[in-house]
Each structure stands twice: as structure tokens, then as C-alpha cells.
């Protein structure tokens, strides 16, 4: 979350299953035993219930490494990392006749750790009055405890987020680059699985695929992500039917228009995303997801004397979202 705005490989189904068992225990108390895969009907569409609330915990780690080459100088290497954690509350406020819903999303608290090229780490926590990273602290304070209204289509796609202006007013100039799309991305990583098929016979569901296209902000432009989802398994945990869905995408990059006087050419030479989502068939919402994004960039800057400065950058973003409580 916010991996492209504020700057372990996928940990695998086994860890998610362990964590999901604890998360599912609340629902299991009132749910009937899940049927076997041969008789179950797989339905990955949302089934919104007014007043239903889910709490999620998120973690992300964005890492950069690369080298910059300039004429007549030795190449310079660089690294950086930003780690974020936090909790989000998702509440269904109103359900429409067509199956769409208006939801409220609030980031309750968030922390960050920023490690620079020299290995120095600074930390910030929205719950604290001060931190050793003023810029990050202002960002975290601004995005937390502001209810955002999220419009969700009947298929689970996030169509609109309102309330971002209140966050930008809190953060001032530090949040000039934030916009609605950043929070649409956050909401898309929570309860719903956009475009998920419904009414699939369980025996035939494994292997079912569908495509969902996304476009997300990046600090150097926009990343277009045509995700191909595949139903990979159905099982029962604590009496709840649980569907595992894998997603893969080769991404395309659209560089930001440059306002600088120096010509800058940015190209993404490689980009891919893999994700794994566990979907609760009782509440029809995601229990958790692991995502790994990896991208390589080449950035060229032409100096006034026609000398060329070239940087190659490798970027990885690991993310995890887990349901920790529900009612």
C-alpha cells in the first residue's frame, strides 16, 4: 500500500493458511460446515451486507537498487528501502439494489521505516506526536483517521473514492502528488476480488481464469497492469470454504510528462506482478493476499553539453494484507 506514492518473495499459501485459520475462527462460530469441492458452487463475487465491518493489517516493503554512470567518473551504486505497516477498517455503509455498495475505508494507523543509501534508518508512527522523519510523519498523520467513501461496483471493482481532499488539506504540500487513484489502489487490496466469477461448479472451478485491468500511479509515471487471475484451489478451514486465487501480470509503463529543462528519458525494461489471494466463501471477502512486484528502469538525462547520465534501477515491492478481525 502506497508503495508507489511514498516511497521475501511471495511467502506462499502455507503461511496464509496458518494466519487465515485464526482470522476465520470468528466466522466459523456461526457458519455451517462447508461442502466438499465436488458439490460446492464457487462464487467469488461480493455479497455486501450493510453494517458489516472488516479490519485488515497491511505490510509493504519497497526496495530500490541501481547504478548511475556519468562520463569520466566511476559508476555510483545506490540502494534504498521503505517499509510500511498499518491497520485499515472497511465498513459496508449502504447496499444498492443492483448489488453495488458504498463503503467506508479508514486507515487507523500507519508506520514507516526509511533506509537510505548510507544505511541510515529513520522511523515514523502516526500514533506518536513526533518522529525522527518529519516528512514521513506528516504523510502518515495525514492519511490516517480520515474516513473515505468508496463506491464499489457489483463485481467488486472500485469505481470511486471521495474524501481525499481532506487528507491533502491535512498534509499540505507534502501530499500534493496524492490523488484518488492512490486510494482506489488501497481499496482494491482489501475485501473484494474484482471481476471474480460466480456460480462455478466446484469440480470445474479450479483452473478457471479471468482478466482484470488496472492502472496505478508510480512516482515516475503510471503502471498498466493487465492481471490474469486463476482459481488454484478450494479447501475448508475451520468449517469455512476457502478459495485460493493466483494472479500474474506483465506490466506496461507510461512515463510521466517531464517539466524539467533537462530532457529525461524513462523506460521500463521489465515489469511483472504476481499475487496470491485467499477468499472467504462465507463472508464473500478476501482473507489475505500476498503480492510481489518487480520492475527494472533505465533513466537517461541529457546534459546541456550533450553528455549523457544513465541510471539503471531495479525496484521490488512486496506487500501483504491480512484480515485480522470482522463483525
Amino acid at each position: 500500500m502506497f508503495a508507489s506514492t511514498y516511497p521475501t518473495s511471495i511467502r506462499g499459501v502455507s503461511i496464509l493458511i496458518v494466519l487465515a485459520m485464526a482470522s476465520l475462527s470468528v466466522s466459523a462460530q456461526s457458519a455451517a460446515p462447508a461442502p466438499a469441492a465436488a458439490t460446492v458452487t464457487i462464487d467469488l463475487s461480493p455479497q455486501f451486507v450493510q453494517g458489516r465491518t472488516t479490519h485488515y493489517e497491511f505490510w509493504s516493503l519497497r526496495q530500490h537498487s541501481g547504478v548511475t554512470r556519468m562520463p569520466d567518473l566511476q559508476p555510483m551504486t545506490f540502494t534504498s528501502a521503505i517499509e510500511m505497516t498499518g491497520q485499515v477498517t472497511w465498513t459496508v455503509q449502504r447496499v444498492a439494489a443492483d448489488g453495488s455498495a458504498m463503503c467506508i475505508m479508514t486507515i487507523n494507523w500507519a508506520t514507516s521505516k526509511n533506509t537510505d543509501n548510507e544505511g541510515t534508518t529513520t522511523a515514523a508512527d502516526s500514533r506518536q506526536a513526533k518522529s525522527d522523519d518529519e516528512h514521513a510523519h506528516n504523510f502518515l498523520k495525514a492519511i490516517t483517521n480520515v474516513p473515505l467513501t468508496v463506491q464499489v461496483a457489483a463485481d467488486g471493482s472500485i469505481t470511486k473514492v471521495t474524501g481525499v481532499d481532506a487528507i491533502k488539506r491535512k498534509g499540505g504540500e507534502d501530499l500534493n502528488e496524492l490523488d484518488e487513484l492512490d486510494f482506489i489502489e488501497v481499496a482494491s487490496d482489501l475485501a473484494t476480488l474484482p471481476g471474480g466469477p460466480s456460480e462455478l461448479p466446484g469440480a470445474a472451478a479450479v483452473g478457471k481464469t479471468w482478466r482484470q485491468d488496472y492502472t496505478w500511479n508510480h512516482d515516475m509515471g503510471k503502471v498498466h497492469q493487465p492481471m490474469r487471475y486463476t482459481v488454484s484451489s478450494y479447501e475448508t478451514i475451520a468449517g469455512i470454504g476457502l478459495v485460493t486465487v493466483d494472479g500474474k501480470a506483465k506490466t506496461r509503463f507510461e512515463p510521466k510528462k517531464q517539466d524539467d529543462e533537462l530532457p529525461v528519458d524513462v523506460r521500463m525494461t521489465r515489469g511483472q506482478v504476481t499475487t496470491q489471494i485467499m477468499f472467504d466463501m462465507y463472508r464473500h471477502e478476501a482473507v489475505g493476499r500476498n503480492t510481489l512486484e518487480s520492475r527494472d528502469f533505465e533513466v537517461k538525462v541529457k546534459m546541456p553539453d550533450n553528455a549523457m547520465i544513465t541510471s539503471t534501477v531495479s525496484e521490488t515491492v512486496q506487500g501483504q494484507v491480512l484480515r485480522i478481525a470482522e463483525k
Side-chain angles (χ1 to χ4, degrees):
M1 289 188 170
F2 300 105
S4 60
T5 306
Y6 179 64
T8 24
S9 62
I10 292 183
R11 300 183 180 185
V13 67
S14 58
I15 291 180
L16 271 179
I17 287 176
V18 172
L19 293 168
M21 288 180 70
S23 175
L24 287 167
S25 60
V26 175
S27 295
Q29 296 174 9
S30 56
T39 59
V40 73
T41 298
I42 301 295
D43 185 353
L44 301 181
S45 62
Q47 293 185 7
F48 297 109
V49 176
Q50 185 170 324
R52 176 172 282 178
T53 296
T54 309
H55 301 281
Y56 288 96
E57 186 172 82
F58 67 84
W59 168 87
S60 68
L61 176 63
R62 183 187 187 193
Q63 297 173 295
H64 286 111
S65 63
V67 59
T68 297
R69 293 177 172 84
M70 295 179 286
D72 303 322
L73 294 175
Q74 290 293 321
M76 296 183 295
T77 60
F78 56 87
T79 62
S80 66
I82 297 176
E83 182 177 12
M84 292 188 68
T85 61
Q87 289 185 4
V88 183
T89 297
W90 175 269
T91 300
V92 179
Q93 186 179 54
R94 186 167 65 249
V95 183
D98 64 357
S100 63
M102 181 176 295
C103 301
I104 302 297
M105 178 179 71
T106 305
I107 301 172
N108 305 314
W109 60 265
T111 72
S112 69
K113 290 183 180 179
N114 189 338
T115 304
D116 63 20
N117 191 51
E118 285 71 41
T120 302
T121 297
T122 55
D125 188 328
S126 66
R127 297 165 294 185
Q128 304 298 322
K130 297 180 180 179
S131 80
D132 53 5
D133 188 333
E134 183 178 347
H135 172 75
H137 192 246
N138 183 50
F139 175 86
L140 298 179
K141 294 286 283 187
I143 66 172
T144 51
N145 297 310
V146 178
L148 299 173
T149 302
V150 182
Q151 294 183 11
V152 191
D155 72 346
S157 302
I158 310 301
T159 58
K160 187 176 180 61
V161 174
T162 55
V164 178
D165 286 346
I167 288 177
K168 297 181 74 170
R169 286 193 295 271
K170 283 179 65 178
E173 293 184 359
D174 284 348
L175 275 74
N176 280 344
E177 296 296 317
L178 271 183
D179 62 25
E180 179 191 10
L181 187 59
D182 296 303
F183 293 92
I184 290 178
E185 181 177 6
V186 174
S188 297
D189 281 342
L190 296 179
T192 66
L193 179 55
S198 60
E199 304 304 320
L200 286 175
V206 174
K208 175 69 176 180
T209 66
W210 76 97
R211 173 171 162 161
Q212 191 76 17
D213 292 338
Y214 304 97
T215 296
W216 304 132
N217 286 333
H218 188 276
D219 49 12
M220 292 191 289
K222 292 187 182 296
V223 174
H224 300 283
Q225 181 177 300
M227 184 69 75
R228 176 67 65 180
Y229 291 112
T230 303
V231 177
S232 59
S233 70
Y234 170 84
E235 57 195 306
T236 60
I237 296 178
I240 304 297
L242 196 66
V243 178
T244 303
V245 176
D246 293 324
K248 294 182 179 180
K250 289 187 177 180
T251 56
R252 181 174 61 85
F253 180 69
E254 179 185 344
K256 185 183 297 185
K257 291 184 178 179
Q258 301 294 331
D259 297 325
D260 302 329
E261 295 182 3
L262 295 176
V264 179
D265 177 45
V266 181
R267 291 191 310 116
M268 186 175 70
T269 57
R270 183 186 64 88
Q272 63 183 29
V273 178
T274 55
T275 189
Q276 183 182 76
I277 303 161
M278 301 191 81
F279 194 85
D280 174 355
M281 289 277 289
Y282 177 66
R283 285 173 62 97
H284 281 257
E285 66 185 17
V287 176
R289 65 186 79 207
N290 276 318
T291 302
L292 175 63
E293 307 172 45
S294 58
R295 293 179 277 266
D296 293 335
F297 292 95
E298 182 180 70
V299 183
K300 294 183 177 180
V301 181
K302 190 174 184 180
M303 305 301 290
D305 61 358
N306 290 325
M308 189 70 71
I309 300 176
T310 302
S311 295
T312 54
V313 184
S314 292
E315 175 183 73
T316 61
V317 183
Q318 303 168 64
Q320 184 181 80
V321 179
L322 290 171
R323 190 178 70 186
I324 56 173
E326 70 273 4
K327 64 179 182 179

